[in-house]
Amino acid sequence: IHYQPQYEFENNKLVGFEALSRWMHKDLGYISPDVFIRIAEDIGLHFEFDLWVFTQVCHQIVQWREEYVYSPRIAINISFKTLEMTDFVTRLQSIIEHSGCPTNLLEIEVTETASISNMITLIDNVRAVKKLGINIAIDDFGTGYSSLSLVRTLRSSLDTLKIDRSLVADICSSPLDREFARKVIGLGEVLEVKVLAEGVETLAQRDLLQELGCDYAQGYYFDKALTVKAAEKLIIKQRNE
Ligand code: C2E
Ligand code: MG
Ligand code: MG
């Protein structure tokens, strides 16, 4: 698991990390999570996989704290199919209790997919996760199936809207894309949630997003997903600044 830093525009402060899974296969080399997560979903392994990642992150936060390394909040991607499972919240609760990880240091990223079969359980689960003290983010907002009605239904449980990187890519050259970004940031204000721009790759994009009122940023302009050691160094460096 690697950790990609998230920064606050206003003061360039490190505000969080996103946990991103990496798989180096001995014969096939690097396999993108876009590929293996889909396979995990197809063969029904997504539930155990997502819980495994969640467990690893809880342990990492606790281990760091034992070494006096105080990480900011860490976001974990949870597949929609996992969020539909009835025992999801009970399992999360037990992982939290066993690890002793403070829930205010955890965030769950929810991505909508086409095949939501159990919408009622999903909504109940998101609300129950929020009640545990965990932050909720909507991932890849503005693409695929991320719907306004879901965001509206879940609004009282939401903390962060993550603007998909495809909407960020051309904001400097396309007036249309710039207006789209402005409206999504405005939607964040209406919902009273923080807005994070994904895939920020240039200083020009960074500056424009700040001007548009975006709260947080993540992307190659700042950092790629870091190893545990590199993330640890960054946390210590920020603390000493
Ligand atoms: P995501 O959650 O939207 O994660 C952001 C992706 O964008 C990551 O790709 C990240 O490395 C990449 N990225 C970050 N900054 C930039 C940038 O400036 N430019 C560009 N072009 N890309 C950038 P990655 O790690 O390949 O992950 C792809 C997707 O796989 C993730 O999209 C997420 O949906 C899924 N995923 C990754 N790890 C996990 C996991 O542990 N569990 C689950 N369920 N899904 C995961
Ligand atoms: Mg994500
Ligand atoms: Mg995303």
Side-chain angles (χ1 to χ4, degrees), residues 18 77 109 111 138-141 162-165 198 218:
E18 176 176 8
N77 290 282
E109 292 195 5
T111 320
I138 297 281
D139 203 357
D140 304 337
F141 188 77
K162 297 189 75 179
I163 311 181
D164 189 73
R165 66 169 189 263
E198 295 191 275
Q218 178 183 341

Side-chain angles (χ1 to χ4, degrees), residues 214-231:
C214 195
D215 302 292
Y216 304 140
Q218 178 183 341
Y220 297 160
Y221 170 71
F222 302 95
D223 289 295
K224 60 177 180 17
L226 306 173
T227 61
V228 170
K229 270 281 152 229

Side-chain angles (χ1 to χ4, degrees), residues 4 18-22 30 32-34 37 49-50 53 77-79 109 139-140 165 198-201 218-220:
Q4 188 174 31
E18 176 176 8
L20 292 163
S21 296
R22 300 285 175 257
Y30 177 71
S32 158
D34 280 326
I37 298 293
F49 181 78
D50 285 346
V53 175
N77 290 282
I78 300 287
S79 132
E109 292 195 5
D139 203 357
D140 304 337
R165 66 169 189 263
E198 295 191 275
V200 178
E201 294 184 350
Q218 178 183 341
Y220 297 160

